[in-house]
Amino acid sequence: MSFGLIERLGSRGLEPRYRAATHGGEYAGPCPLCGGRDRFLVWPVQEGGPACAKAGVPGTWYCRQCGRGGDALQYLQDVEGLGFAEACKALRLEPPARRSGLPTPPRAPRRPAFEPRTTESPADLWRRRAAALVEKAAAALPAHPEAQAWLTARGLPPEAAARFSLGFLEGEPGRMGLIRARSAWGLEPRKKTAQDGTVTLKRTLFLPRGILIPAFDVQGAPLRLRVRRSDEDAAQWGDKYMVVEGSAMPALLAGDDPRAVVVVEAELDALAVAFAAGDLVTACAVLTNAGRPDAAAHALLSRALRILVALDFDEAGARGWSWWRETYPQARRWPVPEGKDPGDAVKLGCDLRQWVRAGLPPALTLGASESGPRVSKEPPQAVREPGPKVEIAPEILALRSLVDELRGLLRAGSLRIDKRGRQTRLRAPEEWQRANAGPYRRAWELTYICTEIREYIASHPDAVLHWWNF
């Protein structure tokens, strides 16, 4: 029997394009499940699982973004929402003893459970010195327009710099930074071994000049100081970014909505994401492509409904993605559309807010502004003048209408949507189904066929949805 995966996708408005001759012909296009634009692969003539192979029903599929895949039997269940028996009947298959998609690959050895490290705060004296340095550097930044221009080009204009306490650390005359006594920062002398084996004690602390990037704890006390040196200084000394000794190395977290997290490598990238879309997500900088979250970041990530992993778009970033995919099931790889990181993307004209919104399910963007959060410098007032009318995007209005429609059907028939099993199920009393075939059919279509509602349901924090919590 000919199934026609390409034709079935075409009927949904998706048009996979021929890409290679692999397995008799490979096609790529948008994924009907997760919305990925070009990661969905189809092999129309490849032999499927045992049940399909026995009946002569060809065709397999796989999405490299969400990891879903199977043969024609699995397609009817996952994409078109048919039950197992219905899918077998549609394909004229003899139902096998157990469900079978593609042959199950051998399981890899299970990794030990991830145990995040706990970050210890620097000494009190170090934190006091760091706080004074942050304040001084922030005050000095406006006197360095070249540093401000560099930050602005990476998505951090002056208002963002003020919000995140970015600054410019000036050097002493004739030096590329500041020299301070280690004891003044609560640091012990450090042993230094010369080439001839002579051991001396280093009693000074070097603070390089450049853009100062602080990281804070939840109380606002400094945990880390990193300096982005000028290209000229870096060319001479070889270190573009330098961490001040005594700093702690937790992940940097910035943003206001913990339901979704964007994971990046560098602190400045995280701050740019938080400035553009901090009302939608929390940005998390893990400092390297192989970096792992500390205990505080792991707790946040474990509770998040969606994690967008945007590690640098290079070979190292691709290697790092596998760990995130295995550790956090709600993670999906979400590289920037231009450049290798969010800072590069801004320089190339990318709108970070729209990039973040595109990676989130509609349930997490309802009511959010298209233009993004704004940092107000005005003092709070008891009474505010009414502002300009906010235009709500048509797609958001359409989603609200669909949500309200399904909520009404759930209430009318005492229906519920159960996400606790392998597949989402729409459950309704049998008597109501028989007496209300039309409304039940509409509820079924919204639950299983409507892409926007499917994403809304998938991102809902509750496992069972009734009309009162939908």
Side-chain angles (χ1 to χ4, degrees), residues 12 24 43 78 104 121 168 196 203 255-256 258-259 270 278 286 291 293 311 317 363-364 438 440 461:
R12 304 176 70 86
W43 298 275
D78 290 359
T104 304
S121 298
F168 191 88
D196 60 2
R203 301 181 184 277
D256 301 322
R259 295 179 302 168
V286 292
L311 298 176
L364 297 184
Y440 176 73

Side-chain angles (χ1 to χ4, degrees), residues 154 264-274 283 312 341-344 352:
R154 296 186 66 86
V264 297
E265 177 181 346
E267 293 116 324
L268 290 178
D269 290 332
L271 298 180
V273 170
D312 287 1
D341 56 42
D344 278 351
L352 290 185

Side-chain angles (χ1 to χ4, degrees), residues 3-285:
F3 178 62
L5 269 175
I6 300 295
E7 290 75 14
R8 303 285 286 217
L9 289 164
S11 68
R12 304 176 70 86
L14 307 174
E15 299 181 357
R17 296 187 178 184
Y18 181 82
R19 195 172 76 166
T22 311
H23 302 305
E26 178 179 295
Y27 294 74
C31 177
L33 295 172
C34 69
R37 287 174 287 184
D38 59 358
R39 310 291 181 88
F40 188 79
L41 305 180
V42 181
W43 298 275
V45 299
Q46 185 183 30
E47 184 178 278
C52 289
K54 183 178 179 180
V57 179
T60 61
W61 56 281
Y62 175 72
C63 178
R64 292 185 298 160
Q65 181 160 289
C66 65
R68 305 282 287 276
D71 54 12
L73 179 59
Q74 200 67 45
Y75 176 90
L76 289 179
Q77 296 175 82
D78 290 359
V79 178
E80 300 194 1
L82 299 185
F84 181 64
E86 293 175 299
C88 289
K89 183 177 180 181
L91 295 173
R92 301 176 187 173
L93 303 182
E94 179 181 347
R98 61 182 296 274
R99 300 186 184 187
S100 60
L102 292 176
T104 304
R107 292 187 177 182
R110 180 172 293 181
R111 292 184 178 182
F114 173 57
E115 296 183 4
R117 71 189 187 279
T118 300
T119 300
E120 294 186 6
S121 298
D124 289 342
L125 178 55
W126 188 98
R127 299 174 83 173
R128 290 198 300 271
R129 296 290 187 186
L133 196 67
V134 168
E135 185 176 353
K136 180 180 179 181
L141 181 60
H144 296 270
E146 72 288 347
Q148 285 189 316
W150 187 88
L151 288 168
T152 299
R154 296 186 66 86
L156 293 164
E159 56 266 35
R163 176 180 175 184
F164 300 120
S165 300
L166 301 177
F168 191 88
L169 189 58
E170 298 172 325
E172 295 170 337
R175 289 177 174 168
M176 292 187 177
L178 306 174
I179 303 295
R180 295 292 183 264
R182 296 175 65 85
S183 59
W185 283 67
L187 301 175
E188 296 292 331
R190 192 179 69 180
K191 291 182 178 180
K192 185 176 181 181
T193 305
Q195 292 182 351
D196 60 2
T198 304
V199 178
T200 58
L201 292 179
K202 182 180 180 182
R203 301 181 184 277
T204 57
L205 174 66
F206 178 59
L207 304 171
R209 65 187 178 189
I211 296 172
L212 186 65
I213 311 163
F216 303 94
D217 63 14
V218 292
Q219 284 80 34
L223 287 174
R224 178 174 61 250
L225 299 179
R226 189 189 297 270
V227 179
R228 203 290 183 183
R229 310 179 78 182
S230 68
D231 292 340
E232 293 77 11
D233 288 0
Q236 182 171 347
W237 293 97
D239 293 317
K240 185 180 293 184
Y241 288 89
M242 290 185 63
V243 176
V244 173
E245 285 186 66
S247 295
M249 299 303 291
L252 181 145
L253 300 174
D256 301 322
D257 196 331
R259 295 179 302 168
V261 181
V262 177
V263 178
V264 297
E265 177 181 346
E267 293 116 324
L268 290 178
D269 290 332
L271 298 180
V273 170
F275 182 70
D279 59 323
L280 298 174
V281 297
T282 292
C284 173

